C-alpha cells in the first residue's frame, strides 16, 4: 500500500498501519529501489514482518509496489519521502526491530559527503527509533562510503559496529547484481544502538546523556487562513514570484517561494502555488483566495495534494496575505 506523508500520523503506530498483524516485528527499508529485497528477505521469516519502505524515486515506488503485491505482502507500506523525515516524524521512539539500507547512493565526489544518508546525526536518530538489541544493516559495494559510515557511527556515540556477511537477499537487489556483474565485492555491517541520543519529550531515559528531542516539526491541524478586504482596483496581473525566509534564530527554519497565481475557474478568486522547504521536507501547496458573500476574501490553504500543516505552510499563507496587504488589502482576521 502506498502512503503519502499526509496519510501518516505523527508519530504513527503499527496498530493503525498494520491492523491485521500489529504484533509482528517492524522492519524499515531505506532506498528500496525497485523493491527486490523485501519479497526475498521476508521469506526467511515464518510470518512476514510488518514492512515500511521509504524511497525518493516515484518510478521505483510504483515498481516496488507491484512487486510486493505480486508477492502477496499485504502488511507493507511504501512511501515516497526523504528517509530522515519519515524516521523523525512518523516512527515512534524504540519501535523498530530492524532498519535495512542496501547500496545507498555513495555521493563519491569531494565536497558531496553532506548528501550521504549515513552520517552521525542520522545514526543518532535511527538509534532512538530502534528497540533495544535491534539494529541497522548496511550493505554497500562502495569501500570509501562503508568506512565513512563506520566512522560516522562511532562519532555518533550511540552505535556499535560489527562487520560480517550480508543476508543473501541483499545480494540479489538490482544494484547488487549490477556490481556483481562488474566483479565488485560488497561490505556489510550491523550497527547496534548502545545508547540513545534523544528521548521523547516528557519521559526519562536510562541513558544519562540523552537529551529531549528537539527537531520534530511542530505539526498542526487547524487550517491556516486569513480574511481580508481587497481594494476595489485590485489587479492580480501585478503578481510576481517572491521568496520569504524564516527570521534567523526564531523557531524552525523555512523558505517559502510563491511561484504563480491562477484565476479560479469555479469560484470568484485565485489560487496561489507555493513551494515550501523545511530542512529535508519540501511541499508544493495551493492557497485559495476566494470571494465571500459579504464582499471580503478568504485566503486559505487548499486540501489538494494532502499538505501537512507545518510552520512553513502556515508561513506560505502569511506570505500570500502579506502580498495582498502590500497591494492594499485590509486584513480582518489572521488564522495562521
Ligand atoms: C543506489 S540505489 C539502491 C537501490 C536498492 N536498494 C538496490 O540495492 O537496488 C539508492 C536508492 O536510494 C534512494 N534514496 C537516496 N536517498 C534517499 C533518501 N534520503 N531517502 C529515501 N531514499 C533515498 C534512491 O532514490 C535510490 O533508489
Amino acid at each position: 500500500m502506498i502512503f503519502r506523508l499526509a496519510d501518516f500520523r505523527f508519530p504513527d503506530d503499527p496498530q493503525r498501519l498494520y491492523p491485521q498483524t500489529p504484533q509482528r516485528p517492524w522492519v524499515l527499508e531505506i532506498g528500496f529501489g525497485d523493491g527486490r529485497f523485501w519479497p526475498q528477505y521476508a521469506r526467511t521469516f515464518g510470518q512476514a514482518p510488518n514492512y515500511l519502505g521509504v524511497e525518493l524515486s516515484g518510478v521505483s515506488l510504483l515498481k516496488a509496489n507491484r512487486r510486493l503485491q505480486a508477492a502477496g505482502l499485504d502488511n507493507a507500506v511504501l512511501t515516497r519521502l526523504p528517509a530522515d523525515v519519515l524516521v523523525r516524524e512518523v516512527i515512534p521512539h524504540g519501535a523498530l526491530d530492524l532498519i535495512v539500507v542496501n547500496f545507498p547512493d555513495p555521493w563519491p565526489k569531494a565536497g558531496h559527503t553532506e548528501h550521504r544518508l549515513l552520517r552521525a546525526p542520522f545514526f543518532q536518530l535511527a538509534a532512538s527509533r530502534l528497540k533495544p538489541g535491534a539494529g541497522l544493516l548496511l550493505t554497500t559495494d562502495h569501500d570509501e562510503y562503508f568506512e565513512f559510515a563506520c566512522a560516522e557511527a562511532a562519532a555518533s556515540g550511540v552505535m556499535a559496529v560489527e562487520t560480517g556477511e550480508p543476508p543473501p537477499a541483499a545480494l540479489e537487489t538490482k544494484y547488487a547484481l549490477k556490481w556483481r556483474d562488474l566483479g565488485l565485492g560488497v561490505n556489510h555491517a550491523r550497527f547496534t544502538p548502545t545508547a540513545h541520543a534523544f528521548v521523547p519529550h516528557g519521559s526519562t531515559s536510562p541513558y544519562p546523556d540523552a537529551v529531549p528531542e528537539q527537531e520534530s516539526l511542530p505539526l498542526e491541524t487547524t487550517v491556516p487562513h486569513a480574511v481580508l478586504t481587497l481594494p476595489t482596483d485590485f489587479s492580480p496581473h501585478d503578481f510576481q514570484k517572491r521568496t520569504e525566509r524564516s527570521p534567523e534564530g526564531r523557531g524552525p527554519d523555512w523558505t517559502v517561494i510563491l511561484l504563480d497565481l491562477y484565476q479560479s475557474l469555479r469560484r470568484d478568486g485565485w489560487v496561489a502555488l507555493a513551494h515550501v522547504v523545511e530542512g529535508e521536507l519540501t511541499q508544493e501547496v495551493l492557497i485559495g483566495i476566494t470571494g465571500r458573500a459579504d464582499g471580503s476574501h478568504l485566503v486559505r490553504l487548499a486540501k489538494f495534494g494532502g499538505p501537512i500543516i507545518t510552520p512553513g505552510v502556515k508561513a506560505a499563507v502569511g506570505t500570500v496575505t502579506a502580498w495582498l496587504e502590500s497591494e492594499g488589502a485590509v486584513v480582518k482576521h489572521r488564522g495562521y
Side-chain angles (χ1 to χ4, degrees):
M1 195 186 323
I2 292 178
F3 267 45
R4 294 172 309 169
L5 181 57
D7 296 325
F8 288 107
R9 296 213 181 125
F10 309 103
D12 219 317
D13 76 275
Q15 306 275 350
R16 202 186 76 86
L17 295 173
Y18 314 100
Q20 310 300 324
T21 57
Q23 303 308 332
R24 293 195 193 170
W26 194 8
V27 177
L28 168 70
E29 184 182 0
I30 297 176
F32 51 73
D34 67 4
R36 290 184 210 196
F37 173 76
W38 187 241
Q40 296 212 33
Y41 193 56
R43 259 190 247 135
T44 63
F45 296 81
Q47 293 179 313
N50 294 324
Y51 175 81
L52 180 58
V54 63
E55 172 53 64
L56 284 180
S57 153
V59 174
S60 297
L61 182 80
L62 297 177
K63 283 186 186 167
N65 193 43
R66 277 200 293 272
R67 219 179 269 276
L68 267 52
Q69 278 179 346
L73 290 162
D74 298 332
N75 55 337
V77 173
L78 301 179
T79 192
R80 183 179 167 218
L81 282 173
D84 51 1
V85 172
L86 178 86
V87 175
R88 190 172 55 235
E89 308 297 342
V90 172
I91 296 175
H93 282 248
L96 291 172
D97 293 84
L98 186 68
I99 301 176
V100 181
V101 187
N102 291 323
F103 302 92
D105 289 334
W107 293 97
K109 285 192 190 151
H112 283 192
T113 54
E114 80 266 21
H115 298 302
R116 288 177 171 170
L117 175 74
L118 298 174
R119 289 175 292 124
F122 184 78
F123 279 116
Q124 293 180 334
L125 184 63
S128 71
R129 281 5 185 222
L130 287 164
K131 287 179 183 163
L136 183 155
L137 303 184
L138 166 66
T139 304
T140 174
D141 59 292
H142 201 274
D143 298 344
E144 197 270 314
Y145 189 7
F146 186 70
E147 280 165 30
F148 174 91
C150 292
E152 289 288 305
S156 76
V158 295
M159 286 286 197
V161 56
E162 197 185 331
T163 56
E165 289 302 312
L171 300 176
E172 302 298 332
T173 70
K174 182 176 170 189
Y175 275 79
L177 299 179
K178 193 168 159 178
W179 303 130
R180 194 193 313 172
D181 285 350
L182 292 173
L184 298 173
V186 296
N187 305 279
H188 178 79
R190 178 189 169 94
F191 301 93
T192 309
T194 53
H196 283 170
F198 308 120
V199 287
H201 279 284
S203 44
T204 53
S205 163
Y207 303 108
D209 294 336
V211 295
E213 184 166 320
Q214 298 289 342
E215 73 265 44
S216 281
L217 281 172
L219 303 172
E220 293 198 14
T221 50
T222 311
V223 179
H225 63 280
V227 178
L228 43 74
T229 308
L230 292 173
T232 45
D233 61 347
F234 174 70
S235 163
H237 301 296
D238 299 337
F239 178 85
Q240 285 183 344
K241 183 177 161 186
R242 65 202 59 225
T243 302
E244 291 284 332
R245 292 196 171 79
S246 50
E248 242 176 67
R250 279 203 276 140
D253 289 341
W254 47 258
T255 302
V256 171
I257 307 169
L258 276 193
L259 292 168
D260 217 337
L261 188 76
Y262 308 98
Q263 177 89 48
S264 172
L265 292 178
R266 281 197 307 122
R267 295 183 184 162
D268 165 26
W270 303 270
V271 178
L273 171 64
H275 182 73
V276 181
V277 183
E278 289 158 283
E280 292 282 326
L281 178 64
T282 60
Q283 299 190 75
E284 264 75 46
V285 297
L286 295 176
I287 296 156
I289 306 164
T290 312
R292 302 190 339 150
D294 65 0
S296 64
H297 278 76
L298 175 67
V299 179
R300 191 174 192 269
L301 176 71
K303 284 192 186 147
F304 180 82
I308 302 297
I309 303 172
T310 56
V313 167
K314 286 166 65 179
V317 175
T319 303
V320 173
T321 307
W323 164 60
L324 293 170
E325 279 184 286
S326 73
E327 297 290 316
V330 176
V331 177
K332 296 160 86 172
H333 168 77
R334 283 177 215 275
Y336 56 84

